[in-house]
């Protein structure tokens, strides 16, 4: 769909507000009723953006209870620096960890099944140091901790190995970065779940839309926070050139993981219908792609 046609199709919706100039967008915004289904915080530093977005959803205590074991799942897949926008911003991850502890979490675990060498990814991304400083237990993935899980709602996949720590956690918070992906067009929250599975992950890329939705029927984040502080607009998922990076200074938070991904897609000039896996996820009841059906709250920290 061309951008002009897409804008015409969504005219009057909250999604339009995300794509139009700020003064035009204001009339589309919903009242500041709390909690929202999806919150967008703009024009702040990473920790401020996380705080504002989570607060707009009702605060972290809505998702984390005293004594919970929480898995915070960022993208740490690549041996890249934060400025290259291939991994989740470390300050975003750290602030999510801090909010979990403030809400009463007993333990916060941070890990990812990386694509490049894990030690290099954890170090160069800055996530290992930032998350530890915030109190998280940061660990590398161990093959012996994968468990084969039946996928009862699977269409293409009937079982797959998932990481034990995710299966046993009280709460999963998905914290992907939004970035270009050469195969999937974009990788955001639904695809970030590939960091908690084992097996032959390359096989997921065949019939990707149905398979990634199959996997997402097993693990169900209570909260998705999309890091849009910097986004990688081209040559993803690994990137490397600063020319491909845009400083957006935005974080999206939602209880609806499909809606969160769909909203992040607008940063790349795409609508939900442009991504097969979002259409499939919506069709199978995992989330909403029609923004008119959501309570969306937008917070401009620069105003």
């Amino acid at each position: 769909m061309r951008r002009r046609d897409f804008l015409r199709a969504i005219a009057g919706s909250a999604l339009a507000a995300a794509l139009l100039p700020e003064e035009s967008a204001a009339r589309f915004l919903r009242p500041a009723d709390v909690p929202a289904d999806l919150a967008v915080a703009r024009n702040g530093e990473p920790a401020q953006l996380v705080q504002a977005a989570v607060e707009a959803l009702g605060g972290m205590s809505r998702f984390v209870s005293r004594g919970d074991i929480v898995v915070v799942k960022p993208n740490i897949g690549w041996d890249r620096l934060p400025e290259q926008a291939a991994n989740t911003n470390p300050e975003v991850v750290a602030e999510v960890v801090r909010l979990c502890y403030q809400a009463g979490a007993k333990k916060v675990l941070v890990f990812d099944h990386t694509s490049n060498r894990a030690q290099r990814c954890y170090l160069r991304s800055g996530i290992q140091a930032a998350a530890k400083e915030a109190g998280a237990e940061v660990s590398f993935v161990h093959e012996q901790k994968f468990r084969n899980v039946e996928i009862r709602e699977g269409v293409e996949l009937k079982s797959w190995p998932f990481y034990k720590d995710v299966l046993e956690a009280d709460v999963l918070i998905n914290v992907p970065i939004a970035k270009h992906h050469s195969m999937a067009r974009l990788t955001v929250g639904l695809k970030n779940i590939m960091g908690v599975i084992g097996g032959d992950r390359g096989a997921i890329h065949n019939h990707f839309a149905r398979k990634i939705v199959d996997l997402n029927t097993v693990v169900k984040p209570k909260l998705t926070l999309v890091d849009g502080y910097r986004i990688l607009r081209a040559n993803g998922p690994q990137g490397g050139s600063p020319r491909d990076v845009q400083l957006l200074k935005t974080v999206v938070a939602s209880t609806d993981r499909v809606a969160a991904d769909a909203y992040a897609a607008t940063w790349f000039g795409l609508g939900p219908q442009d991504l097969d896996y979002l259409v499939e996820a919506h069709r199978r009841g995992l989330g909403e792609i029609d923004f008119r059906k959501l309570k969306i709250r937008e917070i401009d920290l620069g105003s």
Side-chain angles (χ1 to χ4, degrees), residues 113-181:
H113 195 184
T114 62
S115 296
N116 291 151
R117 187 167 173 259
Q119 287 81 357
R120 293 279 299 173
C121 296
Y122 278 44
L123 178 65
R124 293 244 297 164
S125 69
I127 291 174
Q128 179 174 254
K132 280 188 173 180
E133 176 67 25
E137 293 188 11
V138 182
S139 60
F140 300 123
V141 165
H142 300 287
E143 289 296 328
Q144 65 271 26
K145 293 179 75 173
F146 286 106
R147 301 285 185 268
N148 209 43
V149 175
E150 179 186 2
I151 305 177
R152 295 178 181 176
E153 300 175 54
V155 174
E156 291 281 344
L157 303 175
K158 297 303 179 184
S159 67
W160 201 266
F162 284 78
Y163 205 58
K164 175 175 174 286
D165 290 357
V166 166
L167 298 173
E168 295 181 351
D170 297 304
V171 179
L172 169 62
I173 299 177
N174 196 11
V175 193
I177 186 172
K179 59 179 179 174
H180 170 261
H181 193 284

Side-chain angles (χ1 to χ4, degrees), residues 1-45:
M1 180 186 291
R2 292 179 304 173
R3 180 176 175 82
R4 183 175 58 186
D5 295 333
F6 172 61
L7 286 171
R8 183 180 297 120
I10 63 166
S13 71
L15 177 56
L19 300 176
L20 296 173
E22 189 171 321
E23 60 274 18
S24 300
R27 64 194 176 92
F28 292 114
L29 303 185
R30 300 235 179 181
D33 48 349
V34 175
D37 300 312
L38 185 146
V40 186
R42 295 193 179 93
N43 297 319
E45 294 308 303

Side-chain angles (χ1 to χ4, degrees), residues 27-300:
R27 64 194 176 92
F28 292 114
L29 303 185
R30 300 235 179 181
D33 48 349
V34 175
D37 300 312
L38 185 146
V40 186
R42 295 193 179 93
N43 297 319
E45 294 308 303
Q48 296 173 317
L49 294 168
V50 170
Q51 292 166 12
V54 172
E55 186 62 30
L57 295 185
M60 190 59 84
S61 59
R62 179 182 172 193
F63 310 102
V64 176
S65 300
R66 187 162 300 282
D68 278 350
I69 295 177
V70 182
V71 166
V72 172
K73 168 59 180 74
N75 188 325
I76 328 176
W78 304 98
D79 180 3
R80 296 295 191 199
L81 297 169
E83 293 77 13
Q84 294 170 303
N87 303 303
T88 306
N89 187 289
E91 297 175 52
V92 166
V93 179
E95 187 58 25
V96 175
V97 172
R98 281 191 283 269
L99 291 179
C100 289
Y101 279 120
Q102 289 172 14
K106 176 182 178 182
K107 186 187 300 183
V108 181
L109 309 177
V110 172
F111 55 84
D112 191 16
H113 195 184
T114 62
S115 296
N116 291 151
R117 187 167 173 259
Q119 287 81 357
R120 293 279 299 173
C121 296
Y122 278 44
L123 178 65
R124 293 244 297 164
S125 69
I127 291 174
Q128 179 174 254
K132 280 188 173 180
E133 176 67 25
E137 293 188 11
V138 182
S139 60
F140 300 123
V141 165
H142 300 287
E143 289 296 328
Q144 65 271 26
K145 293 179 75 173
F146 286 106
R147 301 285 185 268
N148 209 43
V149 175
E150 179 186 2
I151 305 177
R152 295 178 181 176
E153 300 175 54
V155 174
E156 291 281 344
L157 303 175
K158 297 303 179 184
S159 67
W160 201 266
F162 284 78
Y163 205 58
K164 175 175 174 286
D165 290 357
V166 166
L167 298 173
E168 295 181 351
D170 297 304
V171 179
L172 169 62
I173 299 177
N174 196 11
V175 193
I177 186 172
K179 59 179 179 174
H180 170 261
H181 193 284
S182 55
M183 182 280 300
R185 301 190 72 177
L186 289 183
T187 172
V188 196
L190 295 184
K191 193 173 186 308
N192 198 39
I193 292 303
M194 288 185 69
V196 304
I197 64 168
D200 178 8
R201 295 190 292 173
I204 301 298
H205 290 167
N206 182 25
H207 302 298
F208 175 75
R210 291 195 294 271
K211 288 181 178 177
I212 197 66
V213 173
D214 287 347
L215 296 172
N216 275 275
T217 64
V218 175
V219 288
K220 301 173 181 177
K222 282 191 175 180
L223 175 63
T224 297
L225 282 136
V226 181
D227 167 26
Y229 188 76
R230 297 185 185 89
I231 61 173
L232 182 62
R233 301 195 65 90
N235 297 310
Q238 192 166 178
S241 171
R243 293 191 300 272
D244 297 330
V245 176
Q246 178 185 357
L247 184 63
L248 195 61
K249 290 192 169 186
T250 302
V251 163
V252 167
S254 183
T255 55
D256 184 328
R257 50 192 160 162
V258 178
D261 279 24
Y263 197 98
T266 67
W267 298 337
F268 298 82
L270 298 173
Q273 300 290 343
D274 295 322
L275 298 168
D276 291 347
Y277 59 91
L278 291 185
V279 174
E280 177 74 6
H282 173 63
R283 186 185 69 79
R284 291 166 62 178
L286 270 65
E288 187 55 68
I289 57 175
D290 184 347
F291 288 79
R292 292 168 297 188
K293 297 180 179 177
L294 297 169
K295 293 180 180 178
I296 298 178
R297 184 173 176 192
E298 308 205 15
I299 308 106
D300 187 349

